[in-house]
Amino acid sequence: MKIQRIPAGIYAANCYIIYCHNTKEGIIVDPGGDADTIIENIKNNKIEIKYIVLTHGHGDHIGAVKELKDELDVPLLAHEDEQELLKNPNINLSATMAMGAIELEPDILLKDKDIIEFGNLKGEVIHTPGHTRGGICLKLDDYLISGDTLFKGSIGRTDLLGGNYKDLMDSIKNKILILDENTIVLPGHGQSSTILDEKLYNPFLN
Ligand SMILES: [Zn+2]
Ligand SMILES: [Zn+2]
């Protein structure tokens, strides 16, 4: 498995291109902007993208979805509870962000424990409501794509529409911190971490 991190768009949300080293099949997670850079990366590495996957639907994570769908013609995957947010630019905040209003409809709806297969890889969907209702993390081998649920040394905001602090803490404690401590956390913003480091040093979890 290969994972590329591209801080994309003016909000620099981490876009991850994840692909199977053997088959070159891959997915794009959270393309928030810079479609040209993402496409160039895909072409240079000869990756065949199978899906675009959203950890959640905020504007800074979806800014390049339409351009990439036009270019790559692949299905968009998001959690079923994220539909309302995705189709409403006021709730997904794109209406007030630099990229302008975005309305999206997922092609495939995800649920907790769904498996996303590409190449020889399997990603497990973990529904982690709290930052948004339909937020997910994606577990791939020893890696966890954590979206805006968990950051290095911080946690996702819960003051936006659809946010809920108790849900977020339940998600993190009951679904994320139970993972193997060596799991590498790849968040929606900023640098990577591990489950162990977050248990030890994240001030919001202690
Ligand atoms: Zn967000
Ligand atoms: Zn974000």
Side-chain angles (χ1 to χ4, degrees), residues 3 9 15 27 52 62 74-75 80 98 104 111 146 149 153-154 159 165-166 169:
I3 301 180
C15 169
I27 61 173
I52 298 168
I62 63 174
V74 295
E80 56 185 5
L104 292 174
K111 299 189 301 290
S146 65
T149 295
S154 188
D159 58 326
Y165 178 77
K166 186 185 174 297
M169 293 310 279

Side-chain angles (χ1 to χ4, degrees), residues 85-179:
L85 181 150
L86 280 167
K87 70 181 178 200
N88 186 330
N90 293 312
I91 307 179
N92 67 40
L93 309 174
S94 58
T96 54
M97 293 177 116
M99 74 282 294
I102 300 173
E103 296 171 28
L104 292 174
E105 204 173 320
D107 301 294
I108 298 173
L109 295 174
L110 299 170
K111 299 189 301 290
D112 192 45
K113 296 192 170 70
D114 275 354
I115 302 293
I116 300 170
E117 282 195 64
F118 52 102
N120 301 326
L121 302 175
K122 287 182 166 69
E124 187 191 344
V125 173
I126 305 175
H127 182 211
T128 52
H131 177 64
T132 63
R133 288 196 189 100
I136 63 163
C137 295
L138 196 61
K139 170 109 166 54
L140 295 124
D141 294 338
D142 301 333
Y143 291 88
L144 182 80
I145 309 291
S146 65
D148 285 2
T149 295
L150 179 65
F151 303 114
K152 182 183 175 70
S154 188
I155 59 173
R157 287 175 64 168
T158 55
D159 58 326
L160 303 165
L161 270 173
N164 182 300
Y165 178 77
K166 186 185 174 297
D167 288 351
L168 184 76
M169 293 310 279
D170 282 350
S171 292
I172 293 173
K173 289 195 167 150
N174 301 327
K175 291 181 157 179
I176 302 304
L177 297 185
I178 56 160
L179 299 172

